[in-house]
Amino acid sequence: MASKHQIQSLTEDATCPICLDFFTNPVILECGHNVCHSCITQSWDKQGRNSCPECREQFADRILKVNRALASITETARALSLNKEGKESKLQCEKHQEELKLFCETDKKLICPICVVEAEHKSHSFLSIKQAVESYKEQIKTSLETLTKTKSAVEKVEQQQKQKISGVREQSQHQLNYITSVFAELRQILNEKERLFHKELREEEERVLNPMENNLREIQEELNSIQEKLLKLQKRMNQTDSLIFLKEETRQKRRISDDVQVLSVTEGALAIGKFDHPFLLNTVFCEVPDGIKRVSVTLDVETAHAQLEVSEDRKRVRGTRTRRRLPDTGKRFTHWACVLGSEGFTSGRHYWEVEVAGSRGWCMGVAAESVERKGPVTLTPETGVWSIRRLGGEFVAVTSPPSPLPACPIPGRVGVYLSYEFGTVSFYDADTKSHLHTFTGNKFTEKLYPLFWTWDENQWLRICSGSAPGV
């Protein structure tokens, strides 16, 4: 049997000087040293020159000869090394030089049979190696099961987080598209207004310049006529023959001075007032927001719940203690204390405001025409309602689950803004013009109505007029 020293020597002979591991496909260089084929080719490619990694001798050509004898020796060395490792895995007791065959549960250590009878292990509990392995593997199995469940739970949370991130990114992209389209529309409006102003200015310029240019042509014609007369007079003045000069002068029927016309400058100025900067900006900015229709909402009493009171002008609503007897029109809410606006929308951008100051129980927004009016369905975007709600100190967007809104302070007047084509419903603090919440990513396909919902018996919700947000 090969000794430890022999195995070590054989291992060194079978080791590549580059990768420091057993040779793989060993080749012999011109200098006589051996290396792995892949190691030397990669080394030469990297260095850009052919040299031995041990003696540094350089070669003109890449001549690599397979060393089959060394390959065989390498396999033998690898086998001996593996056998040595396998044998050495049988550990021995450092104190008694006996094989470790038992496990002390008390001290949590491997011991030999002699250790059992010694004082330090007296009254201890012992297991065979096999029993100890099974016990610890069972513990590991339990840990694996627990960790696997934990991993599954964390992966679920990870997926949820990814979905949330994806949702925010989609929301951001949708809003970016919306902003881009709004400004594209504004640029179109501005470009059209610029074109019209250019046209009007050119027409004004033409109106003012036409008589002035006509007068200029008359002045120039008169100048040409005078120039011709000057030339004639100069010619006569240059006549040296006195008899001829007098003879020609006496034939002149009239003097040139008799033909002189009295000319004047035609005045003209642009009506610049309509084109000056303040007027121009006022005109443009007054017309740009026209795409947002400011809605004068009135309440549809035929949709009002029996415990709601609607004012005669249909601009106010509040709760009542008594449930009135009212005919069920088919449109009426019979479960939730809701009422809809009279006018519905199937396109465009619309804005209205509602006075809520003093009321501690209300909900408002937009509802689809097909919204459930008879049963206890949660009124969320999934069921055709996009709204925000206040109930005491709670102030939320009505989603599933509800999304908290900034509650300091809760607004006294709320603006609702519907952009049908872009699928958004936004809410604003109408007093500060600050944004509260926007439902995005919707594809509206049916008529939408303003929705109002109140529990307060002492305070009216009042629909009021107002400008569009940000204007």
Side-chain angles (χ1 to χ4, degrees), residues 45 65 78 91 95 124 134 159 176 188 205 220 237 307 313 315 337 353 368 371 391 399 429 446 467:
D45 289 341
K65 296 180 181 180
R78 183 181 283 111
L91 302 178
K95 185 175 181 180
H124 286 188
E134 289 176 353
Q159 187 60 32
L176 182 63
Q188 183 178 353
E205 179 187 40
Q220 291 172 339
M237 283 290 292
Q307 284 183 266
D313 63 359
K315 289 286 188 179
E353 292 180 358
V371 65
L391 186 57
T399 56
D429 183 329
E446 58 180 295
S467 60

Side-chain angles (χ1 to χ4, degrees), residues 29 83 109 119 148 201 207 258 301 317 326 389 402 452 458 466:
L29 305 179
N83 289 336
K109 63 184 292 187
T148 300
L201 182 58
R207 182 189 68 79
D258 297 336
V301 293
V317 61
L326 297 172
R389 177 182 69 209
F452 307 88
N458 302 314

Side-chain angles (χ1 to χ4, degrees), residues 202-218 266-270:
R202 295 303 178 199
E203 290 175 352
E204 176 68 9
E205 179 187 40
E206 186 176 354
R207 182 189 68 79
V208 173
L209 289 181
N210 274 344
M212 298 174 73
E213 289 175 342
N214 289 338
N215 189 55
L216 177 61
R217 281 192 291 272
E218 290 180 8
T266 299
E267 299 290 341
L270 293 174

Side-chain angles (χ1 to χ4, degrees), residues 261-276:
Q261 295 184 21
V262 178
L263 298 173
S264 62
V265 174
T266 299
E267 299 290 341
L270 293 174
I272 202 67
K274 65 184 295 186
F275 301 108
D276 70 7

Side-chain angles (χ1 to χ4, degrees), residues 38 51 61 110 167 198 202 226 229 234 261 273 283 288 298 317:
S38 60
S51 63
D61 300 314
L110 292 164
H198 283 185
R202 295 303 178 199
I226 291 172
K229 291 174 182 178
Q234 190 62 47
Q261 295 184 21
T283 301
V288 165
T298 55
V317 61

